[in-house]
């Protein structure tokens, strides 16, 4: 007993070093005086640059379909049909002829521009890039495989060479994008979209795992923040590249070259990752991953059992009413983003905007507005939450969504360029929810299951949000049955599913805000009881010894 106390006392004064491990390198005074940017090495910056480009290509290839859908549907002949100005006429002619007001093919083809002998038939009845067939490949075909594959790929990140897996996924989805430029039938687009979702599912899990091992703790947040810029950079670039390349009509192949040009860089970057990046040493490998790497097969049944129990622990927090409401509210807000992202191009072309006009504005607004929105939202919520608790974060989300909703409606109500200008505050305030909601989920879940719980959270909001665009065609059809034009019907559907979902999300966050405050108190009490029980057990052990 005395010997045990002596050892325990020594451990409190001076930790014992294991004989098979070298002493840890203690930080020097010079290290403490260094600024954070002085601690970054060249290789770390190089790896982060490759990861940023990878995520940019991820978003670029994902949204290229939304940008090129109109000429693609006209060539492949799928989706809905509508009345539109002929390609040989100017926007001034289109405004005078009002082709979009025609409700039938007969009415469309009868519209003229000019009077008397100078009158010309200027409208065509053709595929407009809208409808259920478009929404199914934009949403469910991609999202379902993307989210389900992401779960299994996340497990693979703990077991296999992440550099090789990341490069393989990048090359796979880039090849899918490249092959899209060669398709001749709609079913080929469905298959390639399915493959795109499978490949892109491996981007963030592998990158996040590698960044955590490449960067020290105090720089990981910054590194992940820079990596996430790829979302807005790729989305904006899809408008600029997709519209301008299609308009250039290279080799008389129009939209096809948008996929050729956006797909080829990923193959080269994938090869560069394979040749120049190193598989970083795992600093936080899980117990299961370590056993798998060592080839220990004797604990298979125990590991399987523990995984089932762990799954139950991961899902249990999501049964709390507060978290159910918070996740549902986040899913609704996410749905609004998906709906508008996949219908921005069809909407603006439907009201007579040219590809060049759309590229001129949407080629930079998402980058500036979205990036600032995420950064400002996190900063404000961190300031507000001090001394007020977790519910203050949700209050920031509610306020930001209610501020953004009128500007989102203004995008649909006003004519260009004011419609585009309204997108700036919409992005600035409307994108605040991303980091804040994730912070709320993390703060309410025990630390030992947070990583897996975040994966579950992303799985839920991606499936609900990604499949919401399927509601656009039936709502649009309902407006058409009431006598609205094609463009007016799409505007009506977007009013409901874009600013409308902003408001619905804000309303759902209100009860969640009060319930979250209650749950946070319960979580702290449970942790306190657990700590007290642990200390009691230690004290009892000392008495028995």
């Amino acid at each position: 007993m005395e010997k045990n106390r002596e050892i325990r006392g020594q451990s409190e004064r001076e930790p014992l070093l294991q004989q098979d491990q070298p002493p840890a390198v203690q930080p020097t005074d010079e290290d403490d005086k260094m600024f954070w940017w002085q601690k970054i090495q060249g290789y770390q910056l190089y790896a982060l640059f490759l990861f940023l480009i990878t995520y940019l290509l991820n978003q670029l290839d994902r949204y290229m379909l939304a940008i090129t859908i109109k000429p693609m549907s006209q060539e492949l002949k799928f989706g809905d049909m509508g009345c539109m100005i002929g390609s040989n006429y100017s926007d001034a002619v289109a405004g005078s002829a009002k082709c979009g007001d025609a409700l039938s093919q007969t009415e469309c083809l009868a519209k003229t521009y000019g009077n008397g002998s100078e009158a010309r038939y200027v409208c065509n009845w053709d595929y407009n890039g809208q409808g259920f067939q478009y929404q199914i490949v934009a949403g469910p075909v991609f999202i379902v495989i993307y989210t389900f594959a992401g779960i299994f790929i996340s497990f693979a990140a703990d077991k296999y060479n992440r550099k090789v897996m990341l490069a393989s996924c990048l090359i796979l989805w880039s090849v899918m994008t490249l092959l899209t430029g060669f398709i001749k039938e709609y079913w080929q687009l469905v298959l390639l979209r399915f493959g795109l979702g499978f490949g892109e599912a491996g981007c963030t899990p592998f990158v996040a795992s590698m960044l955590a091992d490449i960067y020290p703790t105090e720089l990981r947040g910054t590194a992940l923040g820079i990596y996430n810029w790829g979302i807005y950079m790729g989305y904006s670039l899809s408008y600029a590249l997709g519209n301008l390349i299609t308009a250039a009509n290279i080799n008389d192949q129009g939209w096809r070259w948008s996929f050729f040009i956006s797909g080829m860089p990923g193959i080269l970057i994938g090869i560069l990752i394979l040749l120049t990046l190193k598989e970083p040493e795992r600093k936080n490998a899980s117990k299961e991953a370590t056993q798998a790497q060592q080839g220990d097969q004797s604990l298979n049944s125990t590991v399987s059992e523990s995984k089932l129990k762990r799954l139950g622990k991961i899902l249990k927090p999501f049964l709390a009413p507060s978290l159910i409401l918070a996740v549902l509210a986040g899913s609704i807000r996410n749905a609004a983003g998906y709906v508008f992202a996949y219908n921005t191009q069809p909407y603006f072309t439907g009201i007579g905007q040219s590809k060049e006009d759309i590229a001129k504005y949407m080629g930079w607004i998402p980058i500036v507005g979205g990036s600032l929105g995420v950064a400002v939202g996190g900063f404000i919520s961190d300031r507000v939450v001090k001394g007020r608790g977790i519910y203050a974060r949700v209050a920031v989300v509610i306020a930001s969504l209610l501020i953004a909703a009128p500007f989102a409606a203004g995008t649909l109500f006003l004519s260009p360029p004011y419609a585009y200008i309204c997108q700036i505050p919409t992005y600035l305030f409307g994108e605040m929810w991303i980091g804040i909601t994730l912070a709320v989920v993390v703060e309410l879940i025990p630390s030992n299951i947070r990583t897996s719980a975040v994966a579950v959270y992303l799985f839920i909001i991606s499936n609900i949000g990604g499949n919401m665009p399927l509601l656009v065609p039936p709502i649009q059809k309902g407006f058409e049955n009431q006598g609205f034009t094609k463009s007016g019907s799409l505007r009506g559907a977007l009013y409901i599913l874009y600013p409308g979902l902003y408001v619905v999300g804000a309303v759902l966050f209100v009860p969640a805000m009060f319930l979250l405050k209650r749950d946070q108190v319960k979580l702290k009490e449970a942790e306190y009881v657990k700590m007290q029980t642990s200390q009691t057990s230690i004290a009892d052990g000392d008495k028995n010894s």
Side-chain angles (χ1 to χ4, degrees):
M1 182 176 67
E2 294 299 329
K3 183 177 181 180
N4 291 337
R5 289 179 179 173
E6 181 181 352
I7 293 176
R8 190 158 46 245
Q10 182 181 1
S11 64
E12 293 172 354
R13 297 188 303 272
E14 185 177 79
L16 294 174
L17 294 174
Q18 297 180 4
Q19 295 180 355
D20 57 344
Q21 293 182 350
V25 178
Q26 300 296 326
T28 63
D29 293 338
E30 293 183 0
D31 292 332
D32 294 335
K33 295 178 181 179
M34 293 174 63
F35 294 103
W36 63 268
W37 62 81
Q38 294 176 306
K39 300 178 183 179
I40 301 177
Q41 300 176 0
Y43 175 78
Q44 292 173 321
L45 289 175
Y46 174 71
L48 181 58
F49 173 76
L50 287 185
F51 294 152
L52 174 62
I53 297 300
T54 299
Y55 206 18
L56 183 156
L57 294 174
N58 180 289
Q59 300 297 301
L60 171 65
D61 295 348
R62 179 183 307 187
Y63 288 109
M64 188 56 67
L65 174 69
I67 311 305
T68 60
I69 189 60
K70 183 176 178 179
M72 178 191 291
S73 65
Q74 291 176 353
E75 184 174 337
L76 302 184
K77 303 187 183 306
F78 70 87
D80 289 353
M81 301 186 74
C83 189
M84 59 200 73
I85 190 71
S87 59
N88 296 327
Y89 299 100
S90 65
D91 293 339
V93 174
S96 177
K98 297 183 179 180
C99 297
D101 293 344
L103 299 177
S104 66
Q105 183 175 3
T106 302
E107 183 182 351
C108 174
L109 298 179
K111 282 184 171 291
T112 60
Y113 172 75
N115 300 312
S117 59
E118 296 182 354
R120 289 170 288 172
Y121 295 98
V122 296
C123 300
N124 291 331
W125 184 261
D126 205 344
Y127 293 93
N128 58 11
Q130 301 174 30
F132 183 79
Q133 285 183 298
Y134 162 58
Q135 301 295 348
I136 197 73
V137 292
V141 169
F142 175 87
I143 289 295
V144 172
I145 185 61
Y146 177 81
T147 53
F148 275 98
I151 294 176
F152 297 102
I153 287 175
S154 296
F155 291 142
D158 287 334
K159 297 181 180 180
Y160 305 110
N161 188 298
R162 295 161 293 177
K163 178 192 75 171
V164 174
M165 295 291 287
L166 174 64
S168 300
C169 287
L170 172 55
I171 293 173
L172 173 61
W173 89 61
S174 298
V175 170
M176 296 297 105
T177 303
L178 184 63
L179 292 177
T180 303
F182 293 98
I183 59 175
K184 300 293 184 181
E185 303 287 344
Y186 175 75
W187 65 266
Q188 296 171 341
L189 174 62
V190 173
L191 288 180
L192 291 175
R193 190 75 177 167
F194 187 88
L196 180 75
F198 185 85
E200 290 198 354
C203 182
T204 296
F206 292 124
V207 170
S209 178
M210 294 174 71
L211 280 177
D213 291 334
I214 292 175
Y215 279 83
T217 304
E218 65 271 19
L219 295 177
R220 286 174 192 164
T222 301
L224 285 169
I226 294 174
Y227 165 73
N228 279 298
W229 287 351
I231 297 175
Y232 305 104
M233 294 172 67
Y235 180 59
S236 292
L237 187 59
S238 67
Y239 282 98
L241 184 61
N243 282 307
L244 297 179
I245 295 300
T246 300
N249 198 22
I250 301 173
N251 198 30
D252 199 30
Q253 291 180 302
W255 60 271
R256 296 181 181 275
W257 272 94
S258 298
F259 288 94
F260 295 155
I261 293 176
S262 62
M264 287 187 288
I267 300 175
L268 298 177
I269 296 296
I271 295 174
L272 198 61
I273 289 175
L274 283 173
L275 296 178
T276 61
L277 287 189
K278 299 175 291 185
E279 172 67 8
E281 179 184 356
R282 297 178 188 270
K283 298 178 181 178
N284 295 298
S286 65
K287 181 179 180 181
E288 288 85 355
T290 303
Q291 291 170 348
Q293 290 173 348
Q294 294 174 347
D296 187 353
Q297 303 297 326
S298 63
L299 298 177
N300 281 347
S301 59
T302 303
V303 171
S304 299
E305 183 180 359
S306 64
K307 284 182 178 180
L308 290 175
K309 291 181 179 179
R310 182 174 178 82
L311 180 60
K313 292 179 181 179
I314 293 169
L315 297 178
K316 185 177 179 180
F318 289 93
L319 299 178
S322 58
L323 210 50
I324 289 176
L325 282 173
V327 172
L328 179 60
S331 300
I332 295 299
R333 166 56 189 89
N334 197 35
Y338 271 107
V339 167
F340 193 67
Y342 282 115
N343 290 280
T344 304
Q345 184 83 5
Y347 171 73
F348 281 120
T349 55
I351 62 174
Q353 288 291 285
S354 67
K355 295 180 177 63
E356 292 80 3
D357 289 332
I358 298 172
K360 180 172 65 176
Y361 289 99
M362 296 306 293
W364 63 270
I365 288 175
I367 293 179
V368 176
S371 300
L372 286 177
V374 172
V376 171
F379 177 81
I380 292 177
S381 70
D382 285 342
R383 303 286 81 77
V384 171
V385 78
K386 288 185 176 180
R388 296 179 178 87
I390 193 173
Y391 71 94
R393 292 192 190 276
V394 184
V396 173
V397 175
I398 294 170
S400 67
L401 291 180
L402 293 178
I403 293 173
F407 292 105
T411 299
L412 304 172
F413 180 77
L414 300 175
S415 300
Y418 303 107
Y420 293 115
I421 293 173
C422 280
Q423 281 288 280
I424 298 175
T426 301
Y427 271 99
L428 181 60
F429 294 103
E431 295 300 313
M432 287 184 178
W433 75 280
I434 297 177
I436 300 176
T437 308
L438 184 58
V440 169
V441 173
V442 167
E443 289 176 18
L444 278 176
I445 291 175
S447 58
N448 61 321
I449 59 169
R450 279 177 182 164
T451 302
S452 301
V454 167
V456 172
Y457 163 73
L458 295 176
F459 174 83
I460 295 172
I461 68 169
S462 296
N463 272 282
I464 294 177
N467 289 298
M468 194 65 75
L470 287 176
L471 294 180
V472 173
I475 296 176
Q476 186 177 357
K477 188 66 176 178
F479 279 105
E480 290 177 15
N481 293 337
Q482 297 299 318
F484 287 83
T485 64
K486 288 283 185 180
S487 59
S489 298
L490 179 58
R491 178 187 279 113
L494 292 180
Y495 268 126
I496 295 172
L497 298 176
Y498 183 34
L501 291 185
Y502 272 47
V503 176
V504 173
V507 170
L508 289 174
F509 270 120
V510 172
M513 177 176 63
F514 294 104
L515 291 173
L516 284 169
K517 182 178 181 180
R518 181 200 66 180
D519 288 352
Q520 186 184 31
V521 172
K522 287 184 177 180
L523 182 62
K524 289 183 177 179
E525 290 177 351
E527 291 179 348
Y528 176 77
V529 171
K530 184 178 180 181
M531 181 182 67
Q532 291 292 336
T533 303
S534 177
Q535 291 177 349
T536 302
S537 299
I538 294 174
D540 291 341
D542 288 342
K543 291 178 180 179
N544 294 332
S545 61

